[in-house]
Amino acid sequence: MSGLDKIVLKDVHKSFGPKTVLKSINLAVPAGQSLVVIGGSGTGKSVMLKSVLGLIKPDAGEIMIDGENVLTMSRSERREVLTRFGMLFQGAALFDSLPVWENVAFGLIQGKGMDRKEAQDIAIEKLRRVGLSPDVGNLSPSELSGGMQKRVGLARAIAAEPEIIFFDEPTTGLDPIMADVINDLIVECVKDLGATTISITHDMASARKIADRIAMIYHGEIIWEGTRDEIDRSGNDYVDQFIHGRAHGPIQMEVLKP
Amino acid sequence: MRPFNPFAAIGRMVLGTLAELGRLSLFAGQALGGLVNPPIYWRLILQQMWVIGYNSLPVIGLTALFTGAALAQQIYVGGSRFNAESVVPGVVVIAIVRELGPVLGGLMVAGRVSSAMAAELGTMRVTEQIDALTTLSTDPFKYLIVPRLVAAVVTLPMLVLIANIIGVLGGYIIGTGRLGLNPGTYLQVTVDFLEKSDVYSSLVKAAVFGFFIALMGSYHGYFSRGGAQGVGKATTNAVVSAFIAILLSNLIITVIVFGGRG
Ligand SMILES: Nc1ncnc2c1ncn2[C@@H]1O[C@H](COP(=O)(O)OP(=O)(O)OP(=O)(O)O)[C@@H](O)[C@H]1O
Ligand SMILES: [Mg+2]
């Protein structure tokens, strides 16, 4: 099994000062599969993705990409591995000094050294796939709505057709119809490009559509993992409470009641 | 509460400053490392030169013009007590080229540029744009820091050269227009007093100041954290530390270049 795993996290720990965010994360994603990670707000989902990308340095553990531990690599090896990744940030993180099309084409022009004109054509095509017309390409990111920025971020993440793509809340802030278009797009990426993906979402409809497997993170640990069909009969009270969105259950929200 | 211990407070401050200087040196080293191996983003360097240089011209020009003019007036008043009004052109050109042109020019540009760099990079940091660069296989040092450093080091000498000329012009306008000095003599004395080494030291100072302007702006912006408030703090720190670096390095260069003369 582990020979085919594209991404493996072994006992990954991360604290910020006294605050432990990742306690012991163990995950494996086989090549060409789509894993959806669910879990409450502030439980460390984004920190987990950033640890795999090397944007945050874990305190302990191993992170393997194609069987190689990226945490012990040199900077240049690490950069080489990163060229195989695409990432949609939770806040889109578009470059506001560049027009929209150049944001989408950035990895092609800077990373792969592609000709600007050719990269622009690809960028326009990717924008179309996320439901944005070519004239949006010439706007500045600050002129777009939040949902449009998210879709540009998505177009940028898939533009270079990476082997591994991370989507941090791809459908948050989108209307239900556009959310479903994006779900289809993510499914296509996995099918057509053969990409391996990890998506974070709070949107259970989206999770059911794009996931091969679903994992739930709680208090810095993966407390449940299974296929998308198993989630409804997980027998896990935490998972049940989460997927049905109930205020009462084993997960106590830290809200002060008057 | 524990009683206030001044020695502990001073100790903490010294250690904090040393740690900060260490981080700053590492940062500068990493930026210089990015300079020697490709890719070099020429387009971004030119873009930054435009932002730093062209947009600073009005403020540099006005500062130099007014300072040169005020200087001429003061030296005239001081000199007339010894019947030495004729020293005005010589003292103006020396003061402007050796000290006031580079220092005032550097400070004005620092106020504009260090703050703008810190705000821009700080915003990129807190909105995760710098993280996004990394995931798109682009080294943020080469893409963001190196072009700013190179552009500032190249542009500041040009700006200071212009400031020097306009400063002398300011003195000339007051000297000939108001104080009744002979225009031909004024220019002649200016040229006679000025030495090549004055111009060189002026330009070397400018290049050093340019380095510090971009370094402080980039450093504080790049490591800013904590949202809009953090970016605001980074901006202030960038300007203050650029000012201190400019004034201190100016003193050091002045002592090295002119300290031996007597
Ligand atoms: N750079 C950082 N410095 C300090 N603490 C951090 C940092 N990044 C994240 N944290 C903390 O780590 C915890 C997890 O953050 P993370 O962004 O991973 O949450 P999340 O699971 O993605 O939540 P959400 O669903 O709301 O996006 C948070 O409590 C946050 O305060
Ligand atoms: Mg998050």
Side-chain angles (χ1 to χ4, degrees):
Chain A
M1 162 102 184
S2 78
L4 295 170
D5 286 339
K6 192 87 176 167
I7 310 166
V8 178
L9 283 81
K10 268 192 208 148
D11 200 21
V12 173
H13 290 247
K14 178 67 193 175
S15 307
F16 293 104
K19 179 171 184 174
T20 302
V21 177
L22 302 181
K23 231 180 259 167
S24 172
I25 295 282
N26 289 288
L27 262 185
V29 191
Q33 280 217 13
S34 166
L35 173 76
V36 167
V37 177
I38 58 174
S41 187
T43 47
K45 304 183 297 297
S46 299
V47 169
M48 184 182 85
L49 291 191
K50 287 181 194 166
S51 301
V52 179
L53 291 168
L55 301 172
I56 289 177
K57 201 175 165 351
D59 303 326
E62 284 178 22
I63 295 174
M64 321 281 277
I65 305 294
D66 283 329
E68 285 185 274
N69 189 351
V70 291
L71 298 181
T72 55
M73 280 182 178
S74 71
R75 278 166 62 91
S76 58
E77 284 174 318
R78 186 82 202 224
R79 199 162 298 141
E80 193 54 43
V81 171
L82 265 183
T83 59
R84 285 144 54 190
F85 278 84
M87 167 80 181
L88 165 65
F89 284 84
Q90 190 168 357
L94 302 180
F95 306 125
D96 40 31
S97 58
L98 299 176
V100 165
W101 78 262
E102 235 182 303
N103 265 279
V104 178
F106 196 92
L108 299 171
I109 297 173
Q110 305 296 351
K112 301 206 162 166
M114 190 185 278
D115 171 69
R116 285 174 72 82
K117 185 75 201 66
E118 196 183 336
Q120 182 167 16
D121 292 340
I122 295 178
I124 299 291
E125 163 61 16
K126 299 292 173 188
L127 284 172
R128 197 190 55 70
R129 304 252 326 243
V130 296
L132 295 170
S133 62
D135 44 308
V136 171
N138 293 318
L139 298 177
S140 146
S142 59
E143 294 172 283
L144 306 182
S145 76
M148 289 164 89
Q149 290 182 5
K150 201 72 186 238
R151 286 186 275 158
V152 174
L154 192 75
R156 184 175 70 181
I158 63 172
E161 311 200 334
E163 290 168 37
I164 303 169
I165 320 177
F166 292 166
F167 301 102
D168 199 341
E169 307 200 2
T171 57
T172 306
L174 301 181
D175 65 79
I177 300 170
M178 189 46 74
D180 206 47
V181 171
I182 297 304
N183 290 337
D184 285 338
L185 180 68
I186 293 175
V187 172
E188 254 175 69
C189 281
V190 177
K191 280 225 188 74
D192 297 356
L193 304 179
T196 309
T197 64
I198 299 182
S199 316
I200 290 172
T201 187
H202 298 295
D203 172 357
M204 286 314 296
S206 168
R208 285 172 207 277
K209 189 145 184 181
I210 63 184
D212 292 313
R213 297 179 68 79
I214 299 179
M216 173 147 173
I217 184 170
Y218 181 68
H219 274 323
E221 284 175 280
I222 302 290
I223 56 161
W224 184 84
E225 201 193 329
T227 65
R228 125 182 95 177
D229 303 321
E230 284 164 3
I231 192 148
D232 291 309
R233 41 194 170 76
S234 65
N236 184 311
D237 292 343
Y238 293 88
V239 174
D240 277 343
Q241 187 192 348
F242 191 88
I243 64 175
H244 296 114
R246 289 193 283 257
H248 300 285
I251 306 175
Q252 292 299 318
M253 284 287 156
E254 284 148 8
V255 183
L256 291 176
K257 299 255 166 60
Chain B
M1 228 178 94
R2 279 187 301 163
F4 177 71
N5 181 341
F7 295 108
I10 293 170
R12 264 197 303 276
M13 212 178 79
V14 170
L15 287 180
T17 310
L18 287 178
E20 184 85 9
L21 281 178
R23 276 195 296 273
L24 187 63
S25 313
L26 276 179
F27 183 86
Q30 206 175 341
L32 294 179
L35 189 58
V36 290
N37 45 53
I40 307 263
Y41 297 98
W42 296 107
R43 236 164 63 100
L44 295 176
I45 294 178
L46 289 178
Q47 197 181 326
Q48 285 298 325
M49 284 178 67
W50 181 262
V51 171
I52 298 169
Y54 186 75
N55 297 336
S56 296
L57 280 176
V59 54
I60 281 272
L62 287 176
T63 310
L65 187 71
F66 295 150
T67 307
L71 197 61
Q73 176 70 51
Q74 288 286 13
I75 291 161
Y76 181 83
V77 174
S80 63
R81 277 189 267 171
F82 314 102
N83 289 325
E85 295 90 343
S86 59
V87 300
V88 169
V91 177
V92 166
V93 73
I94 295 289
I96 290 279
V97 172
R98 284 190 187 173
E99 293 292 327
L100 294 173
V103 172
L104 286 180
L107 293 179
M108 295 310 276
V109 178
R112 258 197 79 243
V113 172
S114 297
S115 56
M117 281 182 185
E120 186 179 2
L121 295 181
T123 306
M124 290 188 76
R125 164 65 69 197
V126 300
T127 57
E128 299 182 323
Q129 292 179 49
I130 294 183
D131 287 343
L133 270 182
T134 310
T135 64
L136 291 164
S137 331
T138 304
D139 183 345
F141 262 83
K142 285 183 193 155
Y143 190 79
L144 296 173
I145 315 293
V146 170
R148 283 170 169 76
L149 278 172
V150 172
V153 169
V154 175
T155 311
L156 256 282
M158 300 188 215
L159 283 173
V160 165
L161 199 63
I162 294 169
N164 290 344
I165 293 168
I166 295 182
V168 169
L169 182 71
Y172 175 84
I173 291 171
I174 286 279
T176 57
R178 213 180 109 76
L179 309 174
L181 301 174
N182 177 289
T185 321
Y186 194 106
L187 291 180
Q188 188 58 48
V189 175
T190 299
V191 173
D192 287 349
F193 257 77
L194 193 63
E195 287 175 22
K196 267 204 193 109
S197 66
D198 294 330
V199 179
Y200 292 150
S201 77
S202 189
L203 298 184
V204 168
K205 280 182 177 182
V208 171
F209 299 167
F211 176 77
F212 282 120
I213 287 169
L215 182 69
M216 295 307 182
S218 307
Y219 172 78
H220 288 283
Y222 194 80
F223 290 114
S224 71
R225 56 188 73 244
Q229 206 180 10
V231 175
K233 216 170 96 188
T235 309
T236 312
N237 288 343
V239 175
V240 172
S241 54
F243 274 25
I244 294 173
I246 286 174
L247 294 171
L248 184 63
S249 60
N250 178 60
L251 175 62
I252 294 171
I253 297 172
T254 297
V255 168
I256 291 174
V257 175
F258 300 101
R261 306 187 188 178

